[in-house]
Amino acid sequence: MSDKATVEKVCMIAGKIMLMSGAETHRVEDTMNRIAHSYGLKDAQSYATPTGINFSAGMTEINNFLRITKRPTNLHKIHEVNEISRQITGGELQLEDAYQCLKEVENKQAIYAPWLQVLAAALASGCFTIMFQGKWIDFLPALIAGGVGFAVMLGMDRLLEIRFLAEFIGAFFIGVSAYLLVDNGFGLEMDKVIIGGVMPLVPGLHITNAIRDLMAGHLLSGISKGIEATLTALAIGAGVSLIFTFV
């Protein structure tokens, strides 16, 4: 494998990890270009969208393309790639060492187990309910509803592999749980319980990335991420409202 081919693989792996972990497209392109420049590719060209990466060693070189289908949020992996990129630009990592470090990051499993994610989502739901001026008696119902909904969403996401549908079903279970708990005297304000319960599903990172990409001039990525965030919000709203059509 030639040095140029190795540099291309290093850049593609770095971009792949970052894009699949929820990074902004302009950050992905900047990281790939910095790595390429550090290893002597002065005219490297990179182009990223939410669903794919293009990279070439020069304006007239062969183009490398990688399709991205899954984009779970993993800020820890983004941080690790950023650290490796800084070491590369600082001249602290040889090409083969950088390739091995990135492969290790790529092969790492999720840093938090699903049960811990559900526990964190449940606790966050209760806290959000209090933050939105709910009563302390609503803390436990929101905790239960948020935990149930997030667990259902994770399970449906693995089963269906359609994120919007998984979030719709998760929000529906949040609505059902909130209704049953409040109706049986375990809470006072159903709206506060539901608001707190759905907060872990809200696409805050997608909205932030969409705005940052638009401000950086990446119009295609910014608009597509904005539409994705809007569809997610609609799925959550539809899932919650569905329960009220039956009661």
Side-chain angles (χ1 to χ4, degrees):
M1 182 185 299
S2 66
D3 286 345
K4 183 186 291 186
T6 307
V7 174
E8 291 176 341
K9 290 181 71 68
V10 168
C11 292
M12 290 294 289
I13 292 174
K16 173 187 176 183
I17 296 170
M18 295 186 73
L19 200 57
M20 289 185 66
S21 300
E24 314 95 304
T25 53
H26 77 271
R27 183 192 295 270
V28 173
E29 293 180 4
D30 181 65
T31 300
M32 295 171 70
N33 289 336
R34 287 177 183 271
I35 292 174
H37 189 270
S38 298
Y39 286 131
L41 301 183
K42 305 302 181 183
D43 296 320
Q45 305 291 315
S46 63
Y47 178 70
T49 70
T51 56
I53 301 173
N54 290 275
F55 179 81
S56 64
M59 290 184 289
T60 59
E61 298 287 340
I62 296 175
N63 183 62
N64 299 276
F65 174 76
L66 180 66
R67 175 81 172 174
I68 304 296
T69 56
K70 282 278 195 177
R71 298 185 302 280
T73 301
N74 193 327
L75 300 182
H76 183 70
K77 282 193 174 184
I78 297 174
H79 169 72
E80 288 188 315
V81 174
N82 282 334
E83 287 297 315
I84 293 172
S85 174
R86 292 188 184 100
Q87 292 178 29
I88 291 173
T89 54
E92 302 173 17
L93 271 180
Q94 297 298 316
L95 186 57
E96 290 295 338
D97 294 333
Y99 178 75
Q100 292 301 324
C101 289
L102 288 169
K103 289 297 290 183
E104 290 176 7
V105 174
E106 181 184 23
N107 294 328
K108 280 184 179 179
Q109 299 298 318
I111 191 171
Y112 300 115
W115 67 268
L116 188 56
Q117 296 180 43
V118 172
L119 181 61
L123 184 60
S125 298
C127 293
F128 274 119
T129 294
I130 301 302
M131 190 181 77
F132 288 117
Q133 300 180 348
K135 308 298 183 183
W136 277 104
I137 195 174
D138 297 321
F139 180 87
L140 185 59
L143 185 147
I144 295 172
V148 169
F150 196 82
V152 170
M153 187 275 292
L154 287 181
M156 290 295 101
D157 189 40
R158 291 185 177 183
L159 181 64
L160 302 174
E161 297 186 354
I162 302 175
R163 187 76 176 186
F164 301 122
L165 186 56
E167 287 160 343
F168 169 81
I169 297 174
F172 174 75
F173 272 84
I174 290 173
V176 170
S177 302
Y179 174 78
L180 293 176
L181 289 167
V182 175
D183 191 55
N184 286 279
F186 291 101
L188 290 178
E189 300 178 85
M190 188 185 304
D191 57 336
K192 299 296 194 304
V193 174
I194 292 176
I195 291 171
V198 301
M199 284 305 293
L201 304 182
V202 171
L205 182 64
H206 292 300
I207 296 172
T208 303
N209 285 352
I211 295 173
R212 293 189 65 178
D213 278 335
L214 285 172
M215 293 177 66
H218 291 247
L219 302 181
L220 177 62
S221 297
I223 293 172
S224 62
K225 287 182 179 179
I227 293 173
E228 183 179 7
T230 301
L231 290 175
T232 300
L234 288 174
I236 294 171
V240 171
S241 62
L242 184 63
I243 180 62
F244 295 105
T245 64
F246 301 107
V247 297

